[in-house]
Amino acid sequence: MATSTSSPLKKPVTLACIQLASGADKTANLSHARDKVLEAAKGGAQIIVLPECFNSPYGCDYFPSYAETLLPSPPSKDQSPSYHALSSMAAEANAYLVGGSIPEADPDLASKKYYNTSLIFGPDGKLLASHRKVHLFDIDIPGKITFRESDVLSPGNKVTLVDLPEYGKIAVAICYDVRFPELATIAARKGCFALIYPGAFNTTTGPLHWRLQGQARAMDNQLYVAMCSPARDTTATYHAWGHSLITDPMATVLVEAEEKEAIVSWKLDGARIEETRKGIPLSGQRRFDVYPDISEGKVRFDEDNVPS
């Protein structure tokens, strides 16, 4: 079973979350992201994470105008400048790059479908996988915030696991996906050493649950969790919480940003996963005779593949 006490992380690896400040100019956002990715790589990061909607402002009104066509893959530079920018960043940094997320347009323009999509590239600049946000952010907290991504976006339909050959597997999901523990549970059972969530919680939900969600997913699954937010811009229509963080398998928050632009990083060590799982041996204590193992059901994966 993948969630045995042995570690799924083959050797230590430094992961960095870039809490990026982005504005209305996509070209400027991509250039700034490159600078920060190279800065993180120079600091020793081998896995680098950008935030949700890093190439544009976040909001339903912005998704259609900033959307790029990703399929059929690879897209041309005109179809997706962000795809090519991310590919170049990964190669130049010689690092694995979880490219936050960008608005994606369905190639059938008549469908008027859009997705919130993360692109993951290898150190050679090749696309390893992509994840379309599975759970859309539709909430209504009276007197606080109302937001409906489903008014504009369509949901993805796959669990995304990505193999990094030197290190092992990671799972990538986006923001609101973190509130649904099933995705994380399946990823852990399939042998991931880290859950990575580009996200943009707001100043209502952020102080309530951002840190708790990262700790909960780490505690339940005994692996590392990284959550990467945009920096907060109080002049924007949507105020991101910030506080990008990395949590260890014992649910200890190892490093956390504030609300401003920052890079936070940590060396992930498989020994910490093994120590946690030996001390609290959940894998051998699960009662699948009482409840089913959800990772063994009918699950759709995007593992080492791009949706087609």
Side-chain angles (χ1 to χ4, degrees), residues 1-6 184-185 188-189 215-223 248-251 273-289 291 293:
M1 177 66 68
T3 47
S4 69
T5 57
S6 61
T185 298
R189 304 268 170 86
Q215 290 179 296
R217 300 292 81 77
M219 180 185 66
D220 290 347
N221 299 291
Q222 300 182 313
L223 39 62
D248 81 356
M250 282 292 282
I273 301 176
E274 191 167 344
E275 175 190 0
T276 300
R277 292 180 176 182
K278 284 182 177 178
I280 307 174
L282 300 182
S283 62
Q285 297 172 336
R286 290 196 170 93
R287 292 290 306 276
F288 294 136
D289 59 319
Y291 46 79
D293 180 354

Side-chain angles (χ1 to χ4, degrees), residues 56-177:
S56 68
Y58 180 78
C60 293
D61 292 342
Y62 300 106
F63 294 137
S65 57
Y66 283 85
E68 301 178 10
T69 302
L70 299 176
L71 297 176
S73 187
S76 69
K77 288 187 177 181
D78 287 340
Q79 289 173 310
S80 183
S82 300
Y83 176 104
H84 289 275
L86 288 167
S87 173
S88 296
M89 289 177 214
E92 195 173 355
N94 191 32
Y96 290 98
L97 179 60
V98 179
S101 77
I102 65 172
E104 176 194 356
D106 191 288
D108 178 6
L109 297 179
S111 74
K112 295 185 178 180
K113 280 189 175 182
Y114 302 97
Y115 304 92
N116 189 344
T117 302
S118 182
L119 300 171
I120 302 96
F121 291 87
D124 57 0
K126 291 184 179 177
L127 183 67
L128 298 178
S130 65
H131 176 78
R132 289 172 171 168
K133 190 173 187 177
V134 172
H135 303 93
L136 300 182
F137 185 52
D138 288 3
I139 68 163
D140 182 10
I141 302 176
K144 297 287 186 179
I145 183 171
T146 299
F147 202 93
R148 288 188 55 83
E149 278 188 329
S150 66
D151 287 345
V152 177
L153 297 178
S154 295
N157 61 4
K158 293 181 181 179
V159 178
T160 302
L161 311 182
V162 191
D163 184 38
L164 317 185
E166 310 98 302
Y167 305 113
K169 292 179 183 177
I170 60 171
V172 177
I174 298 172
C175 199
Y176 198 49
D177 286 340

